[in-house]
Amino acid sequence: MKSYYLPREYGGEAKILYIFSVKSLIYTGVGAFIGFLINIVLNMFGITKAFIPLLLIFGGIGYCIATLKVPDTNAFEITRKTGGEKIDEVIKRWFLFKMKHGKIYIYKDELLRDDKEKEAEK
C-alpha cells in the first residue's frame, strides 16, 4: 500500500505566534517607552504610583496599533474608507498626508484608468 502526503494548512498557527513578531515587539517597546516618559513627567508633579499601569497601557496600545486592523463596516466614514487595513498603515498614510499640508496629487493616467474601470463595471 502506498502512503500519501496530505498537505496541512499552517495559516492559523502563524497567527498564534504573531505576538512574537519583530514589528509587534518594536511597537510594544515604543509604546512602553512613551509610558515611561509620561511617568517621568507625572513624577515631577508628585504622582508616583502610575509606573506599572502606564507601561502596560501604552505598551498595549502600541501592540494593538501593530497587530489589529480597522473594522470593515459602513457605520463611520473612517471605517468605510480604511476598512480591512492595518492601523499602523492608516496612521502612516495620515501622517504623510499631513506632511504634504493636506494636498493629494492625482495624475492623469490614474484618472483615465479609473474611468475605464467604471465603464467596464457598467
Side-chain angles (χ1 to χ4, degrees):
M1 225 192 244
K2 286 187 171 180
S3 62
Y4 295 97
Y5 173 73
L6 297 175
R8 285 184 43 189
E9 195 173 316
Y10 292 107
E13 295 174 8
K15 290 180 182 179
I16 293 171
L17 298 175
Y18 194 70
I19 189 171
F20 300 113
S21 71
V22 175
K23 178 181 171 182
S24 65
L25 289 175
I26 289 172
Y27 275 77
T28 304
V30 168
F33 182 71
I34 291 171
F36 178 73
L37 293 178
I38 292 174
N39 180 50
I40 291 173
V41 172
L42 290 177
N43 280 339
M44 291 179 191
F45 294 112
I47 302 172
T48 59
K49 295 184 180 183
F51 181 68
I52 301 289
L54 280 174
L55 288 181
L56 292 175
I57 290 170
F58 281 94
I61 290 171
Y63 175 75
C64 289
I65 288 173
T67 58
L68 297 180
K69 294 183 177 183
V70 177
D72 191 13
T73 64
N74 291 331
F76 304 104
E77 183 179 356
I78 187 75
T79 58
R80 196 173 320 125
K81 292 179 180 177
T82 61
E85 297 181 32
K86 293 190 175 193
I87 295 174
D88 65 328
E89 293 174 6
V90 173
I91 292 172
K92 287 176 193 174
R93 270 202 333 241
W94 173 80
F95 184 73
L96 291 173
F97 175 73
K98 289 297 181 180
M99 291 296 292
K100 294 179 183 177
H101 303 290
K103 296 178 183 176
I104 298 176
Y105 297 101
I106 300 176
Y107 298 101
K108 186 177 178 181
D109 293 339
E110 292 178 16
L111 291 174
L112 293 174
R113 185 174 50 236
D114 291 340
D115 290 339
K116 289 178 183 177
E117 289 174 359
K118 287 179 184 177
E119 289 177 10
E121 289 176 2
K122 293 179 182 179

